[in-house]
């Protein structure tokens, strides 16, 4: 068994570059982007535009120093800023799940709206189809089967297939797990496979470690009571969320969990 001194990730700082909420002079957009500073400097998701560049400059984050970018899944509000990032960072590898560049659509009241990201051809982009250790203490998980219900919000989300548009499986979704002295930090983009299934998968992979912090979108709206009743079994220390998490979910989860608002400019230090 490793001792605390054997753990590589002794300190980590997460800065939110893009979120649905912001305080001036920072700006918000519907999306998510997180800069993770530690043994590896990681950009997790890119928002939907070049706004992450502007906010990063105001926050003193040098995106040119990022070692690795991760796209959690193939929706525009998480990967739309990728081209802007790759223009100013010529070295970072980009990891995303197999299938991330397939066509994605929202279908509501008979109207179809494209919500995917255009495929980028670049040797730095690597599609992964299995769990991947990117550095000691940093693991990307992919594949989230579990007994819990998927988010109700997925009902309007579709993907292209040979048979036309079909309900999205979100089999490209990636979650980053960072192991440090404060327990596991789980970084998720939108939790389309369900935050409960994601936490269950994390627990299966790290059965002897507590989940100290969860950061990212939870994709909870009308199913807040269900999630709140089940999430307590995972004994999560702190949750930082905003994007795709409804006001109702904040209130309901806050009754039983330590829930904090994630907005552009939020800084989370874990040591």
């Amino acid at each position: 068994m490793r001792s605390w001194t054997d753990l590589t990730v002794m300190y980590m700082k997460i800065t939110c570059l893009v979120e649905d909420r912001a305080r001036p002079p920072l700006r918000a957009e519907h999306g998510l982007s997180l800069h993770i500073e530690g043994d590896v400097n990681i950009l997790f998701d890119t928002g939907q535009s070049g706004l992450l560049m502007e906010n990063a400059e105001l926050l003193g984050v040098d995106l040119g120093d990022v070692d690795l970018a991760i796209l959690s899944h193939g929706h525009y509000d998480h990967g739309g800023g990728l081209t802007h990032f790759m223009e100013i960072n010529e070295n970072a590898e980009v990891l995303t799940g197999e299938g991330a560049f397939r066509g994605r659509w929202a279908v509501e009241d008979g109207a179809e709206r494209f919500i995917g990201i255009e495929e980028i051809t670049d040797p730095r982009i690597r599609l992964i189809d299995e769990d991947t250790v990117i550095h000691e203490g940093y693991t990307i998980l992919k594949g989230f089967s579990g007994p819990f219900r998927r988010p109700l919000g997925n009902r309007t989300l579709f993907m292209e297939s040979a048979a036309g548009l079909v309900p999205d499986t979100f089999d490209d979704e990636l979650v980053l797990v960072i192991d440090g002295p404060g327990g596991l930090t789980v970084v998720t983009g939108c939790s389309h496979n369900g935050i409960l299934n994601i936490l269950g998968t994390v627990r299966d992979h790290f059965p002897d470690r507590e989940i100290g912090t969860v950061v990212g979108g939870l994709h909870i709206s009308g199913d807040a009571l269900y999630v709140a009743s089940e999430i307590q079994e995972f004994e999560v220390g702190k949750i930082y969320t905003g994007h795709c998490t409804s006001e109702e979910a904040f209130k309901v989860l806050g009754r039983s969990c330590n829930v904090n608002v994630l907005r552009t400019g939020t800084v989370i230090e874990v040591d």
Side-chain angles (χ1 to χ4, degrees):
M1 177 182 293
R2 294 179 298 172
S3 68
W4 291 123
T5 55
D6 292 328
L7 288 170
T8 302
V9 189
M10 299 302 294
Y11 171 79
M12 174 177 54
K13 178 180 177 182
I14 302 176
T15 303
C16 185
L17 303 180
V18 174
E19 241 288 350
D20 292 43
R21 301 171 176 85
R23 293 194 178 107
L26 300 171
R27 292 200 294 137
E29 69 181 9
H30 177 64
L32 180 69
S33 181
L34 302 169
H35 177 262
I36 305 169
E37 178 185 348
D39 297 322
V40 184
N41 286 335
I42 297 172
L43 181 67
F44 187 91
D45 285 346
T46 66
Q48 61 171 285
S49 71
L51 181 61
L52 82 161
M53 319 292 290
E54 175 185 321
N55 286 335
E57 184 174 359
L58 290 171
L59 290 164
V61 173
D62 186 354
L63 293 178
D65 286 341
V66 168
D67 302 306
L68 177 72
I70 300 170
L71 294 189
S72 63
H73 63 295
H75 277 171
Y76 76 101
D77 49 330
H78 293 260
L82 180 59
T83 54
H84 299 277
F85 166 71
M86 295 183 74
E87 287 173 0
I88 62 97
N89 186 312
E90 299 180 350
N91 298 309
E93 186 177 30
V94 179
L95 301 184
T96 192
E98 186 77 45
F101 293 110
R102 65 168 66 102
R104 284 353 221 284
W105 298 80
V107 181
E108 299 179 78
D109 300 323
E112 299 177 356
R113 177 170 59 93
F114 182 74
I115 58 172
I117 52 179
E118 299 294 339
E119 184 164 8
I120 301 171
T121 302
D122 190 292
R124 288 190 286 155
I125 297 177
R126 180 157 65 98
L127 303 179
I128 62 176
D129 59 4
E130 60 184 358
D131 300 338
T132 303
V133 176
I134 57 176
H135 191 277
E136 178 68 24
Y138 295 78
T139 303
I140 294 175
L141 296 182
K142 183 179 186 292
F144 304 98
S145 59
F148 300 104
R149 298 198 308 247
R150 265 53 178 175
L152 294 175
N154 285 355
R155 291 178 299 184
T156 61
L157 304 178
F158 293 79
M159 64 182 186
E160 294 177 4
S161 74
L165 292 184
V166 298
D168 205 324
T169 60
F170 293 104
D171 56 358
D172 62 315
E173 187 166 38
L174 304 180
V175 167
L176 176 64
V177 182
I178 305 170
D179 192 355
L184 302 175
T185 296
V186 179
V187 184
T188 178
C190 237
S191 306
H192 281 290
N193 281 281
I195 187 59
L196 300 174
N197 292 314
I198 288 170
L199 293 178
T201 301
V202 172
R203 184 173 60 185
D204 290 344
H205 278 75
F206 304 92
D208 300 324
R209 301 291 286 126
E210 295 181 353
I211 300 174
T213 308
V214 173
V215 183
L218 303 184
H219 207 62
I220 305 173
S221 53
D223 40 7
L225 285 171
Y226 169 72
V227 174
S229 67
E230 301 288 348
I231 200 170
Q232 296 177 59
E233 75 168 82
F234 297 103
E235 300 181 328
V236 176
K238 294 181 180 180
I239 298 173
Y240 293 84
T241 188
H243 174 73
C244 72
T245 304
S246 67
E247 294 294 334
E248 174 203 11
F250 267 105
K251 294 176 183 178
V252 173
L253 287 174
R255 296 170 192 159
S256 56
C257 302
N258 184 349
V259 181
N260 303 269
V261 176
L262 182 66
R263 57 169 55 90
T264 305
T266 296
V267 175
I268 305 164
E269 295 187 84
V270 181
D271 53 19

